[in-house]
Structures are given as C-alpha cells and as structure tokens.
Amino acid sequence: QKPVTLFELGKMRAEGRKIAMLTGYDASFAALLGRAGIDVVLIGDSLGNVLQGQKSTLPVTLEHMAYHTECVARAAARPLVLTDMPFGSCHENPEQAMRNAARLMAAGAQMVKIEGGEFMAETVRFLVERGVPVCGHIGLTPQSVHQLGGYRVQGRSDEGAARMKADALALEQAGAALLVMEMVPAALAAEITASLSTMATIGIGAGPACDGQVLVLHDMLGIFPGKTARFVRNFMEGAASIEDAVARYVAAVRDGSFPAAEHCY
Ligand code: KIV
Ligand code: NA
C-alpha cells in the first residue's frame, strides 16, 4: 500500500477526487481503515467522548493524544496520520503550539489539526514554516462548546457567514493544507470550497461540495450510545462486516452519494 502524502492530497483536490477521512484511535482499526481505502486517519479529540465517556472534548490531554497517535501510527500503512491538538495545547502562542505539535509529530502524526479561524493564522504559519503540516477546523468547534452555547450549526447569519469565509481564506494564506468544516450550511461550505485555491475542505455536516468528508468512526458504525447528529449515516446497515461498512463509506464519499440532502443543513 502506497502511503498517502500531502502531495497526493493536493493532487486529489486538484483533480476533483474526493478525500475519505475517518477517525481512528488504535492499531487494529488503523490497519482496517487503510485496507478499506481511507486516505486520512484522524486521531480526533473525540476520543474523549467515544473512548473515555467524557461529556466534551475539553478534558482530553496532550498525553492522551500522543498515546493514541502512537497506537495508530504503528499500523497506518496507507492513510496519512492526522492528530488533533487538544484544548489548551496550542492557543496561548505559536511557541506553545510548536512545542506541543512536536510532541505529537514525534508520536507519529504527519499533520496536526487546530480549531479556530483567523485568530489562529499566525500560529498556523509558524508551524507550517517549521515543518508541521496543519489542518484547520472551523464552523462548530467542539472545544468552544461552552462559548458557542451548544453543538449548533454555525454561519447561519450574514455576519457569521462572512466571518467564516474570511477565516477560511486566512488559514489558506497561512499555509494550512486541509480545512475541516463542521456543521456549516451546505451552500456556505460550497461557496467557501470554491473560493479556495490550494487548501482542501473536509466536511462533517457541511454538505457534498467539500473536497472530502470525515465522520467519527463510532458514529458511522452505529456503536456510539445515544443520539447522533443529523449528518451521521450508519454504514453498518446492510454491510457484511466492519471492513465492508468502511469500504461502503469510502465508495459513497468518492462517488458523492454521501452526504445526501438528509445529512445536510
Ligand atoms: O475529534 C474529532 O473527531 C474531529 C472530527 C469530528 C472532525 O475533530
Ligand atoms: Na476534534
């Protein structure tokens, strides 16, 4: 299996081939995701919710992220390894972010994901210039759940939409390679995707026009206890195995049949 590189992701974006991303937190799933065709495995701080049973991602630490990154990196032969910078690990200043990103890169991350828009652009540039590829994350940013007042669609007002467009451009100009957009109206996400020239957009509840899609593994396998969001589809329905479910997700992302209108805002 040929490893997916940053260069390959850029080529996929340029050629209009969709990028299929899923979260993964351990070696067995990292190997399975690679076999099923996943391009990028995200060690998301959603591990706080799905592995640790926390009510939010806020209690997740840098050491938790480094441990799960090591587990995934040992087995991720094909997918690019992307790790979330957890709450409080990168928002003080660029130096703090670089120090903590270096810990995650040493654990096996090939890119780090940072929540936040224009206000994080200086930090993004600082990391990119020092050899750390960066994925931005805007729209619903779960580390800010208490500031946002819940898990809600973002960018619905004219002002919010304008701010989100400016955030995306600022992150692209700072050198971010990827941009996760979470719970964003499909029309706005399409407009943002079309406005960019190098950065690939990855949607989660952001419509089908993004350059790729991401879901939380436990959500798309239907094993997360409790209610899931509108943007989730359970790919185990009709699947012969977990690997088949992931392969069906990859196929649905690639041919544009996921997300459908029912998964969008
Ligand atoms: O932590 C996570 O799983 C994420 C994705 C939902 C994008 O950030
Ligand atoms: Na996350």
Side-chain angles (χ1 to χ4, degrees):
Q1 283 182 322
K2 200 160 150 269
V4 176
T5 60
L6 200 56
F7 178 74
E8 171 65 12
L9 292 177
K11 232 170 82 177
M12 291 177 77
R13 179 197 168 279
E15 293 169 2
R17 288 183 284 133
K18 299 280 187 187
I19 297 167
M21 187 189 299
L22 275 184
T23 68
Y25 315 100
D26 65 43
S28 297
F29 268 107
L32 182 150
L33 298 186
R35 289 196 304 270
I38 290 290
D39 303 304
V40 180
V41 55
L42 170 65
I43 298 96
D45 62 356
S46 55
L47 68 83
N49 304 88
V50 300
L51 301 188
Q52 298 175 339
Q54 308 276 11
K55 289 201 165 48
S56 76
T57 58
L58 301 190
V60 176
T61 68
L62 190 73
E63 285 314 300
H64 296 151
M65 298 309 298
Y67 171 76
H68 287 283
T69 298
E70 286 169 5
C71 296
V72 166
R74 289 185 193 115
R78 189 189 114 84
L80 185 122
V81 177
L82 168 61
T83 301
D84 267 344
M85 300 211 64
F87 181 63
S89 72
C90 61
H91 291 80
E92 289 176 19
N93 51 51
E95 289 77 9
Q96 181 221 16
M98 183 64 210
R99 184 164 60 249
N100 291 329
R103 171 80 183 93
L104 298 177
M105 299 289 279
Q110 295 166 320
M111 187 185 299
V112 299
K113 181 158 74 62
I114 292 179
E115 293 187 9
E118 201 163 6
F119 73 98
M120 291 307 293
E122 184 194 348
T123 294
V124 170
R125 179 181 302 282
F126 192 90
L127 266 55
V128 169
E129 284 175 341
R130 285 156 182 77
V132 180
V134 175
C135 174
H137 184 160
I138 60 174
L140 187 275
T141 45
Q143 292 171 13
S144 303
V145 59
H146 299 303
Q147 181 64 39
L148 297 172
Y151 297 97
R152 308 189 326 209
V153 181
Q154 302 296 311
R156 280 223 155 118
S157 68
D158 289 349
E159 190 206 334
R163 198 177 328 115
M164 209 179 296
K165 288 182 208 171
D167 283 340
L169 280 176
L171 292 169
E172 178 175 68
Q173 279 159 16
L178 299 179
L179 177 66
V180 166
M181 292 195 281
E182 181 166 353
M183 292 184 82
V184 174
L188 174 59
E191 213 184 311
I192 289 173
T193 299
S195 76
L196 301 170
S197 42
T198 56
M199 183 171 66
T201 61
I202 310 290
I204 172 163
C210 296
D211 299 305
Q213 298 290 327
V214 62
L215 283 177
V216 170
L217 179 66
H218 294 53
D219 286 343
M220 59 81 71
L221 293 178
I223 57 175
F224 184 69
K227 198 172 169 289
T228 49
R230 174 187 171 95
F231 57 75
V232 174
R233 178 166 140 196
N234 180 354
F235 283 85
M236 277 305 282
E237 281 169 12
S241 65
I242 291 173
E243 192 165 326
D244 183 40
V246 175
R248 284 167 185 242
Y249 167 76
V250 171
V253 170
R254 294 234 196 282
D255 71 16
S257 58
F258 179 80
E262 73 209 69
H263 306 115
C264 298
Y265 303 101

